[in-house]
Amino acid sequence: MTPSFNRQAVEWTNELWVEMESYLNNLGEHYELDFIKWMRRFTNEMIFKIATGTKNDAIASYYNMLINDNKNSLNDKENEKLNESKNFIESIETYLAGMFYFFAFNNFTRNYVPFIRGKAKKLLKNKDYLFDKLYTIIKERRTEIENTPLDQPLRHDMLTSYITANTSRDINAVKHADVDLLRPMTDKEIFGNILEAMLGGTDTTANFICFTAYYLGHYPEVKQRLRQEFDRVLGNDLTRPITNKDLDELEYCDAVTKEVYRHSPIAFFVGRLNAQKDKVGGYEWPEGTTFQMLVSALMKHKDYWTEPEKFDPDRFYRVEESDKYLLEKKKMKNTFPIFGGGIRICPGRKLAIIELKCLLILIYRKYDIELVDMNAPLKYNSDFINVCTELKVRIKPRKF
Ligand code: HEM
């Protein structure tokens, strides 16, 4: 993600929060929300806008689903748009959950074992819907660009950038030097990139926000320190939009989110395939071996972390000044790969942190997230990634 996308991401997170806040206020402080459902729509709406330059009304459609009678006040076209948006976000959820199915069961099992065959069929039907939808979006945007007069500027989004790359309408300021890539992209290549962004950019960040809300609910002293930092950086104005500069100043917030991630990582393993034979862990491995690195185990290993089971953001806060967290100081570079590393490092990492930090400020400076059941464990499934299955909360005004 280029700096211009990151700037837009801050702006859009501010804007989208204002929309979501109005729905939450309408529902009222006693309403029990499933926070993951809201956050998934928030992050999907963000990545949809960044990827395509348009809104998909993921949050509005969810709100309208909850407030059934609202539907009656909408006309058929508006209802159709909201339904389409609901189907789209559900298809991403189903596609992501289904990936594990195709990972775990071989071709024979998927085609001949009765229950599994039925499930695989449904997943494939969902895949067709999602792929068609994305190809339609690409085709429609191509036509729009072709019909835009040359003297009119094109908007800035991933799709427009991919479609125009290496054409006379190129909106990309920076050119790739590799000769093989100095040609326009095909629809298939564009589709692959947009699909990856949608998949990578929806559940991951939504889960991270929910996991953080869960830990803050259980560690009020951490929440209080976090708010002190927000108040110091942002002042008393509870409505001022957040800026990139604000985010850079939030050191304790950084530490809190890292500690949440260490305890409840989302991408709990990272995979690699070796391109040539290699020696790993004392053994020779042939070319083409698949490795899965269980990073969740690295993040809790006693050789790398002081009191690894303890929830303490201070292990990430100004750790270079600390004597207590010597292990962290020495080892963190290789033991904490939130976003993977090397050439395949997560391209959405900046966007994820922008959304996460912005939302934490926007929510906690003005409201409190109250967990409905303080005794409930963090509910999640470990499939391809750790996915929060439910987080029941009430959003209350903050008590000063
Ligand atoms: C908290 C949020 C996120 C976490 C924890 C996360 C984590 C990861 C990890 C661990 C990888 C594998 C990296 C590797 O193999 O070294 C990855 C890859 C990827 N992520 Fe993220 N990610 C997050 C958010 C996002 C967002 C917002 C996007 C949207 C643009 C995104 C798009 C991708 C893509 C496209 C890849 C594949 C990159 C490749 O294979 O070259 N991720 N992510």
Side-chain angles (χ1 to χ4, degrees):
M1 302 263 305
T2 61
S4 52
F5 278 122
N6 293 332
R7 264 195 309 280
Q8 280 180 339
V10 177
E11 248 172 61
W12 290 340
T13 309
N14 278 298
E15 273 172 30
L16 206 52
W17 165 250
V18 173
E19 181 187 338
M20 192 158 106
E21 187 181 18
S22 73
Y23 299 141
L24 295 176
N25 281 333
N26 286 348
L27 292 172
E29 62 177 282
H30 301 294
Y31 192 90
E32 271 184 27
L33 314 166
D34 188 355
F35 201 48
I36 182 62
K37 294 221 163 81
W38 285 89
M39 286 302 113
R40 195 176 279 136
R41 273 148 183 89
F42 193 98
T43 52
N44 183 257
E45 181 105 48
M46 281 292 294
I47 193 65
F48 194 93
K49 179 119 196 231
I50 288 170
T52 68
T54 57
K55 251 183 128 228
N56 75 341
D57 290 326
I59 303 179
S61 73
Y62 185 58
Y63 174 71
N64 278 285
M65 219 171 75
L66 293 178
I67 306 292
N68 274 331
D69 49 341
N70 233 13
K71 272 197 150 178
N72 303 333
S73 63
L74 303 175
N75 64 36
D76 285 353
K77 213 168 159 211
E78 285 165 333
N79 267 324
E80 196 188 320
K81 184 154 193 282
L82 292 180
N83 263 335
E84 186 54 34
S85 158
K86 173 178 159 290
N87 294 342
F88 178 70
I89 179 126
E90 283 174 2
S91 77
I92 290 190
E93 274 174 61
T94 310
Y95 186 85
L96 271 169
M99 268 162 84
F100 180 73
Y101 224 77
F102 282 75
F103 203 56
F105 298 114
N106 64 20
N107 213 353
F108 178 84
T109 316
R110 290 198 313 266
N111 279 302
Y112 295 103
V113 177
F115 171 76
I116 295 174
R117 189 176 61 184
K119 175 88 182 161
K121 253 187 165 174
K122 275 194 191 142
L123 290 171
L124 288 171
K125 200 167 160 213
N126 175 67
K127 183 206 81 163
D128 288 344
Y129 163 81
L130 178 62
F131 284 23
D132 276 357
K133 169 98 184 156
L134 293 182
Y135 272 115
T136 307
I137 292 174
I138 296 167
K139 287 201 165 60
E140 285 177 357
R141 183 66 187 142
R142 263 199 201 285
T143 311
E144 265 173 27
I145 293 173
E146 277 159 20
N147 293 337
T148 308
L150 287 174
D151 57 349
Q152 271 182 35
L154 295 169
R155 67 168 183 253
H156 183 250
D157 55 63
M158 271 184 191
L159 182 55
T160 308
S161 151
Y162 293 148
I163 292 176
T164 60
N166 303 316
T167 70
S168 54
R169 305 289 314 252
D170 204 336
I171 62 164
N172 302 289
V174 181
K175 301 294 294 173
H176 201 289
D178 192 332
V179 178
D180 288 351
L181 297 177
L182 288 178
R183 59 164 175 80
M185 289 173 78
T186 63
D187 275 7
K188 197 172 171 199
E189 287 165 340
I190 295 175
F191 162 80
N193 278 283
I194 298 286
L195 176 70
E196 278 222 325
M198 298 275 182
L199 297 178
T202 303
D203 269 280
T204 47
T205 318
N207 286 311
F208 204 171
I209 298 165
C210 287
F211 289 179
T212 308
Y214 178 87
Y215 280 90
L216 290 178
H218 284 276
Y219 291 90
E221 66 290 354
V222 172
K223 183 162 68 184
Q224 198 188 347
R225 261 179 87 184
L226 189 67
R227 278 199 171 125
Q228 279 166 358
E229 180 171 77
F230 291 164
D231 294 345
R232 181 176 54 72
V233 172
L234 292 146
N236 307 331
D237 183 352
L238 299 184
T239 55
R240 156 162 106 60
I242 314 304
T243 64
N244 256 308
K245 187 170 164 290
D246 296 329
L247 299 184
D248 291 342
E249 287 179 38
L250 298 175
E251 282 180 81
Y252 188 66
C253 181
D254 248 354
V256 172
T257 54
K258 282 180 178 154
E259 183 65 344
V260 167
Y261 199 92
R262 196 183 66 82
H263 279 266
S264 296
I266 289 136
F268 59 95
F269 69 90
V270 171
R272 285 294 183 271
L273 186 117
N274 62 349
Q276 53 194 49
K277 69 177 176 136
D278 206 352
K279 200 169 179 184
V280 177
Y283 296 92
E284 292 282 351
W285 299 95
E287 172 193 330
T289 307
T290 307
F291 294 86
Q292 302 295 354
M293 290 160 275
L294 193 61
V295 295
S296 54
L298 267 185
M299 291 181 188
K300 284 279 190 77
H301 201 293
K302 64 178 177 27
D303 289 354
Y304 312 135
W305 305 92
T306 314
E307 298 179 82
E309 295 306 324
K310 189 174 169 193
F311 182 84
D312 183 6
D314 277 334
R315 72 176 76 244
F316 290 100
Y317 186 64
R318 299 183 180 166
V319 69
E320 58 292 346
E321 296 159 21
S322 158
D323 288 332
K324 185 175 172 198
Y325 288 115
L326 276 180
L327 275 174
E328 281 78 349
K329 219 189 296 194
K330 284 194 206 138
K331 309 275 185 186
M332 209 180 300
K333 185 168 175 284
N334 295 322
T335 53
F336 197 58
I338 295 193
F339 294 107
I343 196 168
R344 305 311 294 249
I345 194 167
C346 173
R349 58 197 183 282
K350 287 221 169 104
L351 171 63
I353 296 299
I354 286 172
E355 285 183 68
L356 176 67
K357 280 172 142 185
C358 263
L359 269 178
L360 289 177
I361 306 175
L362 289 162
I363 299 175
Y364 284 97
R365 74 175 172 181
K366 211 167 156 189
Y367 300 96
D368 206 6
I369 300 183
E370 186 184 274
L371 303 178
V372 169
D373 181 358
M374 283 298 284
N375 296 319
L378 186 52
K379 294 180 187 154
Y380 63 91
N381 275 343
S382 300
D383 295 336
F384 217 58
I385 55 171
N386 282 334
V387 177
C388 183
T389 48
E390 184 188 81
L391 184 64
K392 285 285 170 79
V393 303
R394 291 187 202 91
I395 311 263
K396 305 256 176 190
R398 173 180 170 187
K399 288 198 183 86
F400 286 91

